[in-house]
Amino acid sequence: MDLTLSFKYAFETEDDTSQSAEGSLRNVDGVDVVVMEGSYSYVGVDGNTWTVDWYADETGFHPSAPFLPKSVEPIHPEIKAAVEAQLRFAAEEDAAAAASSRSESYAAPLAGYGSY
C-alpha cells in the first residue's frame, strides 16, 4: 500500500493577512523530507498588499516576490572570478568537514583523564 502523507491549509485574518500552504513527504537519498509550497500576504503601512510566494524542500526555503532583494551579478570579470573562487573554496571546506565527520578514528584520552 502506497501511503502519501500530505497537508493543505489556508486562512485569512480580519486585517487581510492571509496564508496558504500545501506539502507532502518526499524521500531524498533515504531521508524523509517535507516539501512545501505556499504564499502569504499582508497589508503594509503604505496600504499596499504585499504577497510572497515560496517553496521549501531539501535545499531550503525559497521566497519569491518582485519587491524582495535580488542578487547582483558582478560587473567586472576579476570580481566575478574572485567570488567564484571563494564559493569553490567554501564548498571544498564543507566537503572536507563532512568527510571528517564520517571518520571512524578516535583520539586517545588526555593524560591524567579520570585520575583524582
Side-chain angles (χ1 to χ4, degrees):
M1 176 166 90
D2 181 27
L3 179 64
T4 302
L5 301 175
S6 63
F7 68 90
K8 184 175 186 175
Y9 71 86
F11 68 84
E12 185 170 341
T13 63
E14 291 177 357
D15 67 355
D16 292 328
T17 297
S18 64
Q19 181 175 342
S20 63
E22 59 185 273
S24 62
L25 194 62
R26 181 189 330 172
N27 191 284
V28 178
D29 297 330
V31 176
D32 290 334
V33 178
V34 176
V35 178
M36 305 169 56
E37 66 179 330
S39 66
Y40 60 88
S41 64
Y42 60 95
V43 178
V45 294
D46 56 5
N48 292 321
T49 298
W50 299 90
T51 301
V52 176
D53 297 314
W54 57 270
Y55 73 93
D57 59 14
E58 68 276 7
T59 64
F61 178 74
H62 306 277
S64 173
F67 56 84
L68 292 177
K70 306 282 188 249
S71 52
V72 177
E73 188 68 28
I75 58 174
H76 298 288
E78 298 85 5
I79 296 173
K80 184 174 182 174
V83 168
E84 289 171 349
Q86 289 175 337
L87 291 172
R88 276 193 307 277
F89 179 74
E92 290 168 3
E93 282 189 324
D94 288 346
S100 69
S101 71
R102 292 189 298 265
S103 173
E104 298 280 332
S105 62
Y106 300 94
L110 298 172
Y113 177 76
S115 62
Y116 297 94

